Structures are given as structure tokens and as C-alpha cells.
Amino acid sequence: MLVVSFSFFLAFIGPLLVAGTLTVFPMEKIMHRNFEGRVHPLTRANYLASPPLVVAYALSGRVDIDFEKEPLGTNEAGKPVFLRDIWPTLSEVAEIEQKFVKGEMFTQIYNKIKEGTPAWNGLQVPEGKQYKWDAESTYIHNPPFFQSTSEVPPPVQDISGAHCLLNVGDSITTDHISPAGDIAKNSPTAAYLGARGIEKKDFNTYGARRGNDEVMVRGTFANIRLINKLCPKDGPKTVHVPTGETLPIFDAAMRYKEAGVPTVVLAGKEYGSGSSRDWAAKGPYLQGIKAVIAESFERIHRTNLVGMGVLPLQFVEGQNADSLGLTGKERFSINLNGGDLKPGQMVDVKIDNGKTFQVKARIDTPVEVTYFKHGGILQYVLRKLLAESKGKSVEL
């Protein structure tokens, strides 16, 4: 089934308020997909609706219409026409389905689906059991997740003297963290692609280039709707605290990482809400973020953070960054006891001004403790496979 999205533009161009676009989504893709800026960078609100309802909104020219009380327009006789007057009945829909939706349509497609197209069948396939990475590709790149993985996991290091990379509010979605849409022309990702001879018209989207970690790490927190309290008027940027410079978030993260300085994120309620998106955890990991301290977490995103070795920490009830007087310019130290944490354990966070506050480690199960001690589930699985190949066992 297809569902059409009617996106209402709140983009002012002089005195104009531009409204209206139609986007078709497969039914299974619509859950939590109506992020601001998803259809177009200037779109601040998106609404999902059935195709006929989208047409009705388009006919009315607005999205705040009350279809029960207000007409869509008038007919040739000047009489008002309401949505109920043109909405198809179930029998009318069934009649169209019987006439045009035939089983042969599907069997014909599935009978040929394995044949492939000439372009697909013409691809040159390298021989061998391992994938041959193309260093020149800007779509698929060998990610660095295992480059420093040792056979035995090293002790988890305490978070010492971490700077805050972002201080954000409530309802930060996975699309704020790892956008899937447009690549802005003045972003670090644009610079990366431009340096490889790719023009703006060929940038495509973050979603299309999700197989390239170099693109996705630069796109982490690059959503133009992201508001960072460290520099609220500057879009997806942050303050590099040691120098006071305002930089793209990726650039600041790399400065901290190159200097060997860990970073944390301060956040409000429902951090990581929206669709589960693996890069919303992978990106922060690659940027060097060690912990996210939030008022609450979306369930799946919390799990994904643990799976990437990023520690989710939750403020105690009634506390948040503002109530504790945190601006994001402090330095944070957290004793992790070599990773030997208990599910739900309370942890002290020490600030460089001498204050200390407690948070709850949102590592919720014993197996998550194991993943965290291994640096994430990817490293755990790799070590487990290696151990099994040698007839050994790995901690679980």
C-alpha cells in the first residue's frame, strides 16, 4: 500500500507562504517518517495522509481546514462542495480494485524478479570471499569500527575531563542526530564531496550515501533544524570550548578527538525519538562522544547507543541540565569502574567547578553490560566469532 505525504511549507519568501507538495511512501516506511526538513530543507512541518485526503488538502489550499464544516470549494452552480460529497464509498473503491488490481500483475513481476535488468546483469563481480573495497567510492567505504579491535577487550576507560559537544533540549529525533535528507552546500559533507570532484547536483542525500562512514560522520548532528544551546542562532554548529570558536559540529568533534579529549552530550526528554536509525548511534561514536546525559531516552535508541559503546546516562527525576546550572562549557568526569557497571547503577558525574551530581546508567540488562565492556556489540560479536574459531568462549 502507498501513502502520500502532504508537506506544508512554512518557508517565507518575501510576503509569500509557500505551501504544498506530494510525496509517496510505501506503507511500511511511514512510521515516524514525518521529520521536519525531511521532504525539503525548508519544510518545517510534514503531515502523512491517504492519497485522497492529500488531494482534498491540496484543493483547499490549506491544512487547518475543518472538513466537516468548511467546503473545499463550489460547483458550477455555486453550491458548496464538502469532502463528504466527493469522498469515495467502500463499494466504489472495491469496484475499482476488482477492475484494475489483478493477481497476474504480481505474478508477472515476481516471475521475472530474479532475472535482473541488463544493467544489473552487466556488473563485473570480483572473485573471492571478501568484498573488495573501492577507495575511490563516495557511496561505499570501509568503516573503521574494527580497525583498533584487539582480541581481548581492554578495560573501559573512565571519562575524564570531557567537554560538552552539544547541549540540546527535548525531543531530539534520530533525524536531528543523523539526517537522511539534503546535504547542505556549506556543510563539512559538502566539502568532503566537493574535494572529490562531486558537484552539488550530484550530492544526493545522506540516506543514499549511508554506506559511506566518511559522509555519515560528517552528517551527524548536521540537521539544519537542530538547536544547540551552546550557539542557538548558528544552526548545526557548536562552540569549541577551549578556543571559543563557533564551528560545524563535525569540525569541533574532530578537534577534540585529535586532542584526545572525550566529549559528552547534554539533552532533555525523549532523546533519540522517531524512527530507529543505526547511524544515530554510529555517528556519535565516530565523532568521539562517550556519553549522552539526558532526562529520558527513546527505547530503541538507548539500546543502539549501548550497542555502539556510547553510555546513556539519565538525570534523576526532577533534574536536568538547566536545573543543575549546566551551560555545556564545563568539563565532565565520570568513573566507570573499568566498565564493570550494574544495570541501572547510579553514577557520579564530577564537574570541573567542584560540583557533583548523580545520574542513572541506562545500561539496563546484564548482556548490555557485556556489550559495553567490549566497546559495543560489533566488537563483541567479532571477538565471539574469533574465540569460537579457536574453540574458546567469550564472556556473555
Side-chain angles (χ1 to χ4, degrees), residues 174-190:
T174 51
D175 199 72
H176 287 119
I177 304 168
S178 184
D182 184 69
I183 297 173
K185 64 181 179 181
N186 59 346
S187 64
T189 309

Side-chain angles (χ1 to χ4, degrees), residues 293-313:
I293 310 174
E295 289 184 68
S296 64
F297 293 88
E298 191 278 333
R299 177 179 57 87
I300 298 176
H301 184 64
R302 181 206 63 78
T303 302
N304 288 345
L305 287 174
V306 175
M308 289 307 302
V310 178
L311 180 62
L313 299 172

Side-chain angles (χ1 to χ4, degrees), residues 311-368:
L311 180 62
L313 299 172
Q314 189 164 314
F315 290 108
V316 299
E317 187 70 27
Q319 289 187 348
N320 56 35
D322 292 337
S323 70
L324 292 169
L326 302 175
T327 65
K329 294 186 177 181
E330 303 84 1
R331 300 194 72 167
F332 302 82
S333 295
I334 307 167
N335 186 341
L336 299 180
N337 195 31
D340 191 16
L341 302 173
K342 293 180 173 58
Q345 179 177 330
M346 299 305 294
V347 176
D348 288 337
V349 179
K350 296 181 180 180
I351 312 173
D352 58 350
N353 62 11
K355 294 183 179 179
T356 299
F357 63 94
Q358 279 204 318
V359 293
K360 182 179 182 180
R362 288 300 311 277
I363 299 181
D364 292 352
T365 64
V367 71
E368 287 186 343

Side-chain angles (χ1 to χ4, degrees), residues 91-230:
S91 60
E92 288 174 325
V93 173
E95 182 181 346
I96 295 296
E97 286 182 337
Q98 288 292 328
K99 186 176 181 179
F100 294 104
V101 182
K102 304 292 185 180
E104 307 89 76
M105 297 166 51
F106 301 95
T107 55
Q108 288 173 4
I109 291 173
Y110 281 100
N111 284 338
K112 297 179 180 179
I113 200 167
K114 292 184 179 181
E115 295 178 8
T117 64
W120 175 262
N121 293 329
L123 289 175
Q124 298 297 313
V125 182
E127 296 182 359
K129 295 183 178 180
Q130 291 186 324
Y131 181 78
K132 295 186 182 298
W133 299 96
D134 180 1
E136 301 301 316
S137 174
T138 57
Y139 277 95
I140 301 177
H141 184 262
N142 188 4
F145 300 126
F146 300 120
Q147 288 182 359
S148 60
T149 302
S150 57
E151 185 173 350
V152 177
V156 174
Q157 299 295 312
D158 293 339
I159 299 173
S160 181
H163 276 295
C164 177
L165 187 61
L166 296 102
N167 181 5
V168 293
D170 297 338
S171 300
I172 296 300
T173 69
T174 51
D175 199 72
H176 287 119
I177 304 168
S178 184
D182 184 69
I183 297 173
K185 64 181 179 181
N186 59 346
S187 64
T189 309
Y192 169 82
L193 295 174
R196 284 152 182 79
I198 299 172
E199 299 179 27
K200 176 67 172 79
K201 64 182 179 66
D202 298 318
F203 279 1
N204 213 323
T205 64
Y206 285 109
R209 292 185 180 274
R210 70 182 68 184
N212 187 329
D213 62 283
E214 294 283 6
V215 168
M216 299 307 288
V217 69
R218 286 167 172 79
T220 302
F221 298 113
N223 190 310
I224 63 172
R225 299 295 176 194
L226 179 69
I227 298 176
N228 178 13
K229 296 177 186 178
L230 283 168

